[in-house]
Amino acid sequence: MMIKPIHSITAALVSLLLLTFLIATPLQADQNILTVTGEVTGSNHHFSLADLKAMPNYQVKTETIWTDQEHTYTAISVAQLLEKLGAKGQNLRFIALNDYAIEVPVDILLEHNAFIAFEQDGKPMRIRDKGPLWVLYPFSDQPQINTPFYQAHCAWQLKTIEVF
């Protein structure tokens, strides 16, 4: 039997407690939740939930394979975000809090009206509920794209977008 040093156990416990705290703690309106880097006007851009709510947003009612029913998402469109930033790249890399990353051509996102949700059914999305930000498509309006190829683009717990 291997005995772990006490500092390893303590570090693991502290990490677990910190993660539990982050999952359970609501976001502050001025806390940065999204960073956009790469081929954009200016340098890196940081957005808080308040910043995203101040942008033109809309509601999308859709089903997903990850939810048990149709939900209404309050969101910003990927197209509007890229336009606001003067994005020049042909691709986006979405990176999630757990470091999941997916590269998606901008044309596909725009063609299928991809959006970044920050509320589900009128409530801010918590980390444990795929928030605070979730990239989605309006799958109910476009059932032909409700396939693994497009579903893979739907990064939840989004933290960074790289434009290239």
Side-chain angles (χ1 to χ4, degrees):
M1 177 169 87
M2 182 176 193
I3 299 175
K4 292 188 176 191
I6 202 96
H7 66 277
S8 294
I9 295 169
T10 303
L13 183 58
V14 168
S15 295
L16 180 61
L17 290 173
L18 180 60
L19 181 59
T20 301
F21 173 77
L22 290 173
I23 288 173
T25 304
L27 290 170
Q28 301 300 314
D30 62 347
Q31 178 181 348
N32 287 332
I33 60 171
L34 178 64
T35 300
V36 182
T37 65
E39 296 181 30
V40 294
T41 302
S43 59
N44 295 347
H45 294 269
H46 303 280
F47 295 91
S48 67
L49 183 57
D51 295 331
L52 297 175
K53 285 183 173 186
M55 294 176 64
N57 57 71
Y58 60 100
Q59 294 189 329
V60 180
K61 201 171 197 175
T62 193
E63 293 182 59
T64 76
I65 62 167
W66 304 280
T67 56
D68 57 358
Q69 64 187 35
E70 186 174 74
H71 291 282
T72 301
Y73 296 95
T74 305
I76 60 169
S77 75
V78 169
Q80 287 177 322
L81 178 64
L82 296 178
E83 183 178 323
K84 176 182 177 64
L85 298 174
K88 305 288 186 224
Q90 301 299 308
N91 297 285
L92 300 183
R93 180 178 297 114
F94 297 127
I95 303 171
L97 291 173
N98 67 357
D99 293 326
Y100 172 82
I102 184 82
E103 294 177 8
V104 186
V106 170
D107 291 346
I108 289 175
L109 294 161
L110 300 182
E111 177 183 352
H112 297 291
N113 304 315
F115 59 92
I116 302 171
F118 54 84
E119 287 183 358
Q120 181 178 332
D121 299 327
K123 297 178 186 162
M125 296 172 56
R126 301 175 305 167
I127 290 174
R128 70 174 58 187
D129 299 322
K130 301 192 177 17
L133 302 175
W134 189 4
V135 178
L136 282 169
Y137 291 104
F139 289 117
S140 294
D141 294 341
Q142 301 175 46
Q144 73 278 10
I145 67 166
N146 200 358
T147 64
F149 174 80
Y150 292 95
Q151 292 161 355
H153 303 168
C154 298
W156 56 74
Q157 299 175 340
L158 179 68
K159 70 173 180 178
T160 305
I161 300 173
E162 296 175 355
V163 181
F164 63 101

